[in-house]
Amino acid sequence: MKTQKGDHPSLGGSRAQAAATVRGLLADGRLPRLETQMLLQHVLDVSRAWLIAHDTDPLDAAHVRRFEALHARRLQGEPMAYLVGLREFMGHCFSVRPGVLIPRPETELLVETALAELASCAGERPRVLDLGTGSGAIAVSVALARPDADVVATDLSDEALGVARGNAQALGARVEFLLGSWFQPLAGQAPFDLIVSNPPYIRNDDPHLAQGDLRFEPAAALTDGADGLDALAHIAARAPQWLAPGGVLWMEHGYDQSADVRRFLLEAGFEQVRSLSDLAGIERISGGKLKHRPE
């Protein structure tokens, strides 16, 4: 049987007509139903409720072709966040795209801890620094929860800063973004009450880098190309120069790196050094308090 104009060769003949509805596309079954719904919502720019209410409505051929293209990319393992261009984090919807790290639920612990630290901050306008901001998820979330804070964020990638600026603008957050590596672009900045960072910490030989979503994310945001400790050690050593007396540093790290990070913090002169576990029971972040600024 010849494929007629408007049919879908991948579905074939009589199935094409049935598949050109929400119900038909959901019946494919090669992806989890929720992911298929998310792709359809993205392509059609509709809510989940609309999909349910209109599941037998005929779909425009152009929409179906676009859906099938995204469906094929997802079958190849491309992250859903990149396909739909969005990821929820701390109750906010952040724009993401290839070139920036996808915000993850476990990183919410870093934001929650930062906000707890700011709750006890004596300054009327606490100053917060986010190093390696990526999509801006951490900095923007802090700024939204504490609009009284002065939030500064740095990143080496101009592309990432473009995404972060867009997220800040879309969500109404006030953040100052600076281009450069870690502390390098901070000349002229006043000391900070709190520094946070989710730096690249995966070992370069970790097999997870070749699996799942990590295959598609920017390598520079995931690994330092060595043992994964380089950025963590650098931030811990340099942070005291940029912290006000009593200032605090918190960093996210790998599942087996907490002891090393606590050592870095102690060697840099931090006190009250500790690690906190995520919901999976993994020590996910470590931090400490600087009693005195270095001479």
Side-chain angles (χ1 to χ4, degrees), residues 25-43:
L25 294 175
L26 288 174
D28 181 280
R30 287 177 293 169
L31 290 179
R33 187 178 181 88
L34 178 60
E35 292 189 358
T36 305
Q37 289 176 330
M38 290 172 63
L39 292 177
L40 278 169
Q41 286 177 240
H42 173 64
V43 168

Side-chain angles (χ1 to χ4, degrees), residues 104-283:
R104 287 168 167 78
E106 54 265 32
T107 302
E108 293 189 354
L109 176 62
L110 184 62
V111 177
E112 292 164 354
T113 303
L115 294 176
E117 294 285 0
L118 291 177
S120 59
C121 185
E124 292 185 0
R125 292 195 65 83
R127 287 180 52 76
V128 182
L129 172 63
D130 175 27
L131 296 167
T133 196
S135 67
I138 295 172
V140 170
S141 295
V142 170
L144 290 173
R146 288 294 302 263
D148 60 319
D150 291 326
V151 181
V152 177
T154 70
D155 203 286
L156 184 61
S157 167
D158 191 47
E159 180 182 5
L161 284 183
V163 174
R165 289 191 185 98
N167 281 322
Q169 182 176 8
L171 292 169
R174 186 173 57 85
V175 180
E176 180 181 3
F177 294 102
L178 301 174
L179 177 64
S181 176
W182 306 127
F183 301 94
Q184 178 267 326
L186 295 177
Q189 290 281 336
F192 295 91
D193 300 291
L194 172 67
I195 297 176
V196 291
S197 183
N198 177 20
Y201 54 73
I202 302 177
R203 292 177 60 93
N204 68 328
D205 59 356
D206 190 314
H208 292 95
L209 289 172
Q211 301 171 8
D213 289 357
L214 299 187
R215 294 172 296 163
F216 297 87
E217 296 184 83
L222 297 168
T223 179
D224 59 8
D227 62 2
L229 295 171
D230 183 67
L232 293 161
H234 176 80
I235 292 170
R238 294 290 305 278
Q241 301 174 37
W242 291 100
L243 281 170
V248 177
L249 167 66
W250 281 98
M251 296 183 289
E252 181 173 322
H253 50 69
Y255 73 96
D256 60 350
Q257 296 173 326
S258 58
D260 287 309
V261 176
R262 289 193 298 270
R263 175 170 54 85
F264 297 153
L265 291 166
L266 290 169
E267 290 174 351
F270 286 89
E271 301 179 340
Q272 302 177 31
V273 172
R274 59 194 175 113
S275 300
L276 297 178
S277 299
D278 59 21
L279 294 177
I282 297 170
E283 289 189 324

Side-chain angles (χ1 to χ4, degrees), residues 10-32:
S10 62
L11 298 173
S14 62
R15 282 196 63 204
Q17 183 177 0
T21 65
V22 170
R23 182 182 297 177
L25 294 175
L26 288 174
D28 181 280
R30 287 177 293 169
L31 290 179

